[in-house]
């Protein structure tokens, strides 16, 4: 009897565990729709057609002399030295944001302008975001 | 000379660790008492050596010896003393030395206080602990030597990253490492149990204090990190689902599961192989976390410059440790027989549900964390997984967990009837639902999250209190007799109550801040007045301040409510000349009811950018964490878990 009970418990346990895993898989699949943000370089943004609803990350260098501030409305150009994309942002820029350095922004395209909702800060000024470094390498700009 | 002494001490410690990982293990399998006894002194000597090395490095930092490369690149003579000391672990090499120090410290603790541990078990535990030590000391010596000298020492150092010059972050890494590395102890116990082929209640009683200690320090470490991000980064956020944060959160979740399943092993002698598996998984996630943080393979906002070669070394350690442990587990888990049976409605089942939810949610976090890496390797797409993913895929599991928590906690062991056991909770249930409905009806168009979250937090807190009342039977036997019983409850019971209430409070803080915070961004001139969610702010002035190693623009903003001055906020925009780096110090006024939070932005021709938040009940997120940790501490100091009583119980 005791062994039968143990076996039954084990089967029940496995059934519940499988249920949870299915539930998790379902949630993950569902969450991937909203939660995944693709990374694109300016060149990719120019060459692909991107839905205005798609939230993604753009990364590259902040083009020199392109940063304009009007109150908390900020605009600048992000470049991978082959192509440029204009970025608009409302808010406060991170401390380490400056012209000529790497940056990553999250947002979506409105026409030809990228409207950023968030601009990522880095803790270390020498640090180049990996995606940005790779994107620049593809364009032959950045060398290690 | 000092740095060389430190280096030498690490090299000797490396030799000692090699001996300690081999000799006691052989002794334990051959039954040589003398060989097994070697574990104790070598664990203590290993710790003393590493401690000596750590002190040598600290002296180099405090005396600003810039001929040591690490000091030159991470310190500065003008830096305040606290940050000279915290600078020791504010960089890769030093933090790995701290890692090893804590690892050796845990080993020495077992050697000193584990006098009553069975000698074979102790020998094996210390041997496994030393194997981890060998791997990490080798890592330190061969890839990240903190004692490296410069041939031409600079006149002054390059200074520590200013973001790290902060009291919150000075103590964040030690706590986090105590937690991470603490899980190595439960890992060693699990491996020893697998080699030995048996797990019993006594084993669980030895493992639980280590799991608790690791969990407590991890909780405090994560809370400190989140608090630091909250006030230092100036974005007003407290959790970003960033890979580096997830790296500490995954072992935390597994540690919670382990704590609970160890109770079942101890009380009911079942779930043995599962508990051993959790102990292995816990440390595995610590290693994965170390890998993620140190290798930089996954882009993180917290990333510091890192080195892929080191990542490969940690990856090797990780593969050997996890692979070896799981292989051993596959061969030996069958020998860990459980005897007890239990019904589907019982405390055991409740704890199993807790475990399943925690493990599955850890897997969800894990998938979200490594997905960018998988996508890049397999699909060739660069992407990142943002907060929405975790909110959708992780939160539901926590909601289910909170729903079942009070019920599982009140069920008796072995067999229970859900209606009878659950009936005392009806009061708590109806009150929580009422609170949820009330908030839902008062709220105009806000997110559904607030009523659900607040109802859940009320349910968890009230449920825990009901459990406490039931335990002292205050209703049956009268107030004074009940009070006496209440005082005499074991510390483990109190620990459980505090930990669960702490969780409830954290849920409360998270729900409130997520649902009701208000944000305002504007450009304000000096003297300007503006209003955010019932508070009037007057921007008084901005003045230049000279700190010890920085200059600062410090704003003064007075906050009024109903024409009464409630707070003077002093947000700063600092500039550290040595690293040429600006930082933001938010001005925060905390109270139990709300945080007023102001970050100062750039100066422009017509004024300063100012970001203002009113965050209701924010501080409860961290108060909840502290109460959770306090609950853990109570539980850890329970008499039952002390070694002496274990022995007495065994002798019966």
């Amino acid at each position: 009897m005791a062994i039968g009970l143990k076996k039954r418990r084990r089967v029940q346990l496995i059934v519940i565990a499988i249920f949870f895993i299915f539930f998790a898989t379902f949630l993950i699949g569902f969450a991937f729709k909203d939660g995944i943000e693709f990374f694109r370089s300016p060149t990719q943004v120019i060459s692909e057609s991107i839905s205005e609803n798609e939230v993604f990350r753009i990364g590259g260098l902040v083009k020199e002399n392109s940063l304009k501030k009007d109150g908390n409305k900020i605009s600048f150009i992000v470049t991978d030295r082959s192509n440029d994309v204009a970025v608009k942002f409302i808010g406060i820029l991170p401390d380490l944001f400056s012209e000529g350095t790497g940056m990553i922004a999250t947002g979506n395209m409105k026409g030809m302008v990228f409207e950023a909702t968030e601009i990522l800060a880095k803790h270390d000024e020498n640090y180049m975001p990996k995606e940005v470094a790779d994107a620049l390498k593809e364009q032959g700009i950045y060398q290690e | 000379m000092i740095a060389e002494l430190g280096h030498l001490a690490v090299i000797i410690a490396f030799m000692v660790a090699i001996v300690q990982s081999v000799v006691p293990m052989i002794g334990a399998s051959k039954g040589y008492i003398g060989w097994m006894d070697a574990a104790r002194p070598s664990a203590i000597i290993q710790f003393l050596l590493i401690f000596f090395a750590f002190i040598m490095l600290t002296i180099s930092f405090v005396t600003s010896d810039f001929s040591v490369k690490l000091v030159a690149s991470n310190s500065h003579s003008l830096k305040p003393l606290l940050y000279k000391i915290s600078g020791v672990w504010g960089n890769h090499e030093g933090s790995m030395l701290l890692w090893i120090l804590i690892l050796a410290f845990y080993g020495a603790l077992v050697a000193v206080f584990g006098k009553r541990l069975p000698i074979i078990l102790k020998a094996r535990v210390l041997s496994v602990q030393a194997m981890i030590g060998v791997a990490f000391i080798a890592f330190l010596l061969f890839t990240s030597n903190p004692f490296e000298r410069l041939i031409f020492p600079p006149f002054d150092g390059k200074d520590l990253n200013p973001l790290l010059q902060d009291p919150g972050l000075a103590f964040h890494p030690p706590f986090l490492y105590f937690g991470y590395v603490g899980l190595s102890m439960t890992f060693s116990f699990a491996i020893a149990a697998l080699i030995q082929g048996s797990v019993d209640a006594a084993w669980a009683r030895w493992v639980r204090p280590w799991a608790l200690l690791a969990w407590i320090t991890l909780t405090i470490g994560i809370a400190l990190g989140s608090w630091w991000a909250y006030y230092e980064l100036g974005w007003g956020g407290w959790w970003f689902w960033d890979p580096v944060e997830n790296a500490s959160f995954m072992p935390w979740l597994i540690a919670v599961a382990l704590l609970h399943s160890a109770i079942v092993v101890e009380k009911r002698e079942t779930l043995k192989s599962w508990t051993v598996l959790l102990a292995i998984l816990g440390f595995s996630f610590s290693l994965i976390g170390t890998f993620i943080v140190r290798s930089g393979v996954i882009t993180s906002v917290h990333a510091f410059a890192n080195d892929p070669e080191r990542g490969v070394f940690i990856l090797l350690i990780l593969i050997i440790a996890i692979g070896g442990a799981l292989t051993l587990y596959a061969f030996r888990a069958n020998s860990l027989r459980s005897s007890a049976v239990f019904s589907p409605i019982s405390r055991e089942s409740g704890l199993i549900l807790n475990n399943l939810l925690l493990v599955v949610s850890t897997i969800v976090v894990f998938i979200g964390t490594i997905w960018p890496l998988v996508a890049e390797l397999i699909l060739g797409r660069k992407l990142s997984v943002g907060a929405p993913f975790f909110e959708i895929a992780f939160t539901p599991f926590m909601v289910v967990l909170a729903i079942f928590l009070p019920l599982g906690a009140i069920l008796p062991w072995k067999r229970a009837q859900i209606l009878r056991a659950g009936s005392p909770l009806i009061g708590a249930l109806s009150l929580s639902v009422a609170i949820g409905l009330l908030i839902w009806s008062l709220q105009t168009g806000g997110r559904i999250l607030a009523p659900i979250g607040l109802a859940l937090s009320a349910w968890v807190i009230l449920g825990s209190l009901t459990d406490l009342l039931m335990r002292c039977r205050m209703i049956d036997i009268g107030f004074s007799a009940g009070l006496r019983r209440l005082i005499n409850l074991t510390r483990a019971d109190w620990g459980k109550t505090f930990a669960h209430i702490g969780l409830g409070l954290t849920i409360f803080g998270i729900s409130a801040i997520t649902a009701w915070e208000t944000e305002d961004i504007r450009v304000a001139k000096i003297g300007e007045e503006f209003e955010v969610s019932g508070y009037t702010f007057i921007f008084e002035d901005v003045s230049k301040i000279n700190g010890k190693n920085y200059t600062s623009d410090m704003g003064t903003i007075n906050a009024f409510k109903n024409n009464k001055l409630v707070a003077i906020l002093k947000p700063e925009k600092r500039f550290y000349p040595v690293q040429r780096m600006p930082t933001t110090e938010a001005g925060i006024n905390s109270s139990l009811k709300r945080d007023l939070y102001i970050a100062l932005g750039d100066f422009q021709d017509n004024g300063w950018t100012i970001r203002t938040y009113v965050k209701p009940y924010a501080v409860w997120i961290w108060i909840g964490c502290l109460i959770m940790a306090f609950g853990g501490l109570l539980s850890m100091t329970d008499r039952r878990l002390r070694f002496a009583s274990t022995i007495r119980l065994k002798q019966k």
Side-chain angles (χ1 to χ4, degrees):
Chain A
M1 182 60 201
I3 293 164
L5 242 182
K6 265 178 77 176
K7 194 167 253 172
R8 186 152 21 116
R9 205 82 329 131
R10 186 162 291 178
V11 171
Q12 285 169 343
L13 198 66
I14 291 170
V15 169
I16 295 176
I18 289 176
F19 168 76
F20 277 139
I21 288 172
F22 270 109
F23 185 50
T25 316
F26 169 74
L27 284 176
I28 288 172
F30 188 64
F32 265 169
K33 275 191 184 159
D34 279 353
I36 283 198
E37 294 153 0
F38 284 106
F39 174 89
R40 292 188 175 93
S41 65
T43 302
Q44 281 169 310
V45 172
I46 300 286
S47 58
E48 290 173 31
S49 67
I50 302 160
S51 151
E52 292 203 343
N53 298 321
E54 191 196 330
V55 174
F56 68 97
R57 291 186 176 192
I58 191 169
L61 299 172
V62 182
K63 195 168 187 175
E64 287 78 3
N65 303 320
S66 73
L67 182 61
K68 289 189 188 68
K69 295 180 186 176
D70 173 25
N72 52 22
K73 293 184 203 65
I74 287 152
S75 67
F76 58 89
I77 289 171
V78 52
T79 178
D80 55 10
R81 301 289 186 227
S82 299
N83 286 289
D84 297 352
V85 171
V87 178
K88 274 206 297 200
F89 175 65
I90 294 180
I92 295 184
L93 289 169
D95 291 326
L96 291 180
F97 185 95
S98 64
E99 291 182 341
T101 62
M103 72 99 223
I104 292 184
T106 309
N108 54 341
M109 294 301 291
K110 280 276 155 66
M112 289 308 286
V113 178
F114 185 82
E115 287 196 351
T117 50
E118 189 183 10
I119 296 204
L120 293 188
K122 291 289 160 188
H123 287 185
D124 183 335
E125 62 169 336
N126 299 322
Y127 181 79
M128 176 75 85
K130 188 167 152 290
E131 287 95 338
V132 176
D134 290 349
L136 293 177
K137 262 184 237 161
E138 265 167 39
Q139 302 298 329
I141 306 295
Y142 178 74
Q143 276 130 18
E144 270 172 303
Chain B
M1 188 60 193
I2 282 173
E4 280 66 34
L5 283 176
H7 194 186
L8 186 67
V10 176
I11 294 172
I12 303 173
F14 184 55
M15 310 289 180
V16 173
I18 292 175
V19 172
Q20 189 192 333
S21 58
V22 177
V23 172
M25 192 59 93
I26 296 173
S29 59
K30 300 272 183 200
Y32 305 153
I33 300 287
W35 288 38
M36 287 189 261
D37 279 340
R40 196 177 120 86
S42 53
I44 295 170
I45 291 169
Q46 192 199 335
F47 167 68
L48 291 176
L49 284 165
I50 306 261
F51 185 65
F52 176 79
F54 190 79
I55 294 295
M56 292 302 112
L57 188 62
T58 310
I59 290 175
S60 305
F61 266 87
V62 171
T63 57
S64 296
D65 178 358
F66 295 122
S67 67
V68 178
K69 191 179 166 199
L70 195 66
V71 181
S73 44
N74 291 287
S75 198
H76 191 272
S77 49
L78 284 179
K79 199 165 61 167
L81 181 64
L82 173 66
Y83 303 130
K84 280 183 182 165
I85 296 172
S86 75
V88 175
W89 56 77
N91 56 75
H92 169 76
E93 288 82 357
S95 80
M96 287 323 291
L97 185 62
L98 179 70
W99 216 98
I100 293 163
L101 175 71
I102 294 171
L103 189 74
F105 176 67
Y106 274 112
L109 276 186
V110 171
V112 172
F113 294 105
K115 282 183 190 146
R116 318 220 173 191
L117 273 173
I119 177 162
I120 298 181
L121 180 67
K122 185 162 82 174
R124 287 187 173 134
V125 166
L126 287 176
S127 163
V128 177
Q129 192 76 4
M131 289 178 196
I132 305 168
V134 170
F136 277 92
I137 298 175
F139 176 66
L140 186 83
L141 287 175
F142 299 127
T143 74
S144 347
N145 178 12
F147 298 106
E148 205 177 317
R149 289 273 189 187
L150 288 172
I151 303 168
F152 304 106
F155 179 67
D156 212 331
K158 287 186 194 150
D159 209 354
L160 179 65
N161 185 331
L163 281 171
L164 306 182
Q165 297 191 27
D166 178 274
L169 213 66
F171 300 108
H172 164 70
F175 272 107
L176 209 56
Y177 280 13
F178 257 100
Y180 266 176
V181 181
L183 289 172
S184 72
M185 217 57 253
T186 52
F187 176 84
S188 298
F189 269 96
I191 299 296
L194 283 175
I195 295 173
Q196 179 174 307
S198 75
V199 163
D200 54 10
W203 181 86
R205 232 165 277 149
W206 283 308
V207 166
R208 226 171 96 81
W210 301 109
L212 274 165
L213 184 58
W215 176 80
I216 293 166
T217 46
L218 205 49
T219 308
I220 295 175
I222 294 174
L224 274 178
S226 136
W227 183 53
W228 166 80
Y230 175 67
Y231 69 72
E232 175 79 25
L233 297 183
W235 323 335
W238 52 275
W239 191 262
F240 306 98
W241 292 108
D242 182 85
V244 167
E245 295 172 344
N246 294 346
S248 63
F249 191 46
M250 291 185 285
W252 186 87
L253 288 168
I254 297 288
V256 177
L258 176 62
L259 288 180
H260 288 88
S261 78
I263 303 175
V264 184
V265 179
E266 184 197 335
K267 301 261 187 176
R268 302 285 308 149
E269 297 243 355
T270 184
L271 293 193
K272 288 176 183 173
S273 53
W274 172 249
T275 305
V276 167
L277 183 61
L278 281 180
I280 293 173
L281 279 183
F283 187 58
S284 302
F285 276 110
S286 287
L287 289 177
I288 292 171
T290 309
F291 172 68
I292 291 176
V293 176
R294 289 293 151 211
S295 69
V297 289
I298 299 174
T299 304
S300 150
V301 284
H302 295 278
F304 302 97
N306 24 36
D307 179 351
E309 265 167 47
R310 288 170 180 159
V312 172
F313 202 115
I314 299 182
L315 195 62
L316 274 176
I317 298 180
L318 193 145
I319 290 167
I320 295 170
I322 302 178
L326 290 180
T327 311
L328 185 64
Y329 179 80
F331 280 107
R332 301 304 292 268
N334 267 335
S335 61
L336 307 175
R337 280 282 157 83
S338 299
S339 49
V341 289
F342 53 91
S343 101
I345 310 270
S346 62
R347 175 80 64 85
E348 289 93 322
S349 300
L351 288 167
I352 289 176
L353 185 64
N354 149 306
N355 272 225
L356 284 177
L357 288 167
L358 285 166
V359 171
V360 175
S361 59
T362 310
I363 295 172
V364 170
V365 176
F366 181 63
I367 290 175
T369 308
I370 62 154
W371 193 250
L373 192 62
V374 175
E376 192 174 348
L377 290 179
I378 297 175
L379 310 173
R381 281 306 309 251
K382 286 191 183 24
L383 51 80
S384 64
V385 178
F389 170 84
F390 296 97
E391 276 157 23
I392 296 169
F394 175 79
T395 318
F397 289 101
M398 292 300 109
V399 171
V400 177
L401 189 72
I403 290 174
F404 283 102
L405 190 155
L407 192 63
I410 213 165
L411 285 178
W413 293 102
K414 207 166 175 184
R415 181 177 300 123
Q417 280 176 303
I418 189 119
L419 290 177
R420 206 157 108 205
S423 63
L425 286 171
I426 287 173
L429 180 66
S430 25
L431 200 54
S432 322
V433 172
I435 290 176
L437 288 175
L438 182 73
I439 287 161
W440 184 61
S441 62
L442 286 179
Q443 176 170 293
T444 45
R447 295 170 67 175
I448 186 72
L449 202 91
I452 293 179
L454 294 174
L456 279 177
S457 99
W459 166 235
V460 170
I461 295 170
L462 294 172
S464 301
L465 293 175
T466 311
D467 184 26
L468 204 62
L469 275 180
M470 294 301 294
R471 297 203 132 248
C472 66
R473 294 173 40 210
M474 204 168 266
I475 295 147
D476 301 342
I477 58 176
F479 181 73
S480 58
L483 196 65
R484 224 170 302 131
R485 279 186 66 111
L486 189 68
I487 293 164
N488 288 330
L489 281 181
T490 62
R491 288 201 184 170
D493 286 327
W494 280 109
K496 170 184 167 190
T497 308
F498 273 99
H500 288 170
I501 288 179
L503 177 69
L505 292 173
T506 299
I507 297 176
F508 168 67
I510 294 172
S511 318
I513 201 176
T514 317
W516 294 325
E517 87 168 12
T518 41
E519 183 184 357
D520 175 276
I521 299 179
R522 66 174 64 233
V523 176
K525 296 187 192 80
I526 306 276
E528 194 171 318
E529 196 176 309
F530 57 97
E531 211 156 305
V532 182
S533 115
Y535 289 88
T536 309
F537 295 90
I538 298 178
F539 187 23
E540 295 290 345
D541 76 290
V542 174
S543 50
K544 287 254 178 245
I545 306 279
N546 283 318
K548 198 170 174 193
N549 54 349
Y550 61 87
T551 58
S552 162
D553 291 320
M554 187 193 269
T556 304
I557 292 157
N558 293 341
F560 295 86
K561 177 144 198 179
N562 303 328
N563 294 322
K564 241 179 67 191
L565 181 72
V566 287
I568 298 170
L569 296 154
K570 295 203 174 278
E572 284 181 64
K573 187 113 193 133
R574 285 189 188 167
F575 183 73
Y576 288 78
V578 180
Q579 291 226 330
R580 307 196 50 74
M581 182 164 157
T583 70
T584 304
E585 307 282 318
I588 303 178
N589 177 271
S590 276
S591 77
L592 295 182
K593 278 180 72 182
R594 81 312 163 265
D595 277 12
L596 304 177
Y597 184 116
I598 291 189
L600 195 63
D602 297 324
F603 178 72
Q604 300 180 7
D605 37 32
N606 51 352
W608 295 77
T609 359
I610 289 182
R611 175 183 278 188
T612 312
Y613 295 95
V614 177
K615 292 169 176 289
Y617 307 105
V619 75
W620 288 99
I621 295 176
W622 297 287
I623 293 181
C625 289
L626 285 183
I627 292 178
M628 263 191 263
F630 178 68
L633 194 66
L634 282 178
S635 223
M636 198 175 85
T637 52
D638 190 283
R639 198 183 303 141
R640 218 180 56 237
L641 294 181
R642 290 185 200 148
F643 301 125
S645 60
T646 320
I647 289 301
R648 240 180 288 130
L649 201 130
K650 273 201 102 179
Q651 282 165 349
K652 267 182 204 167

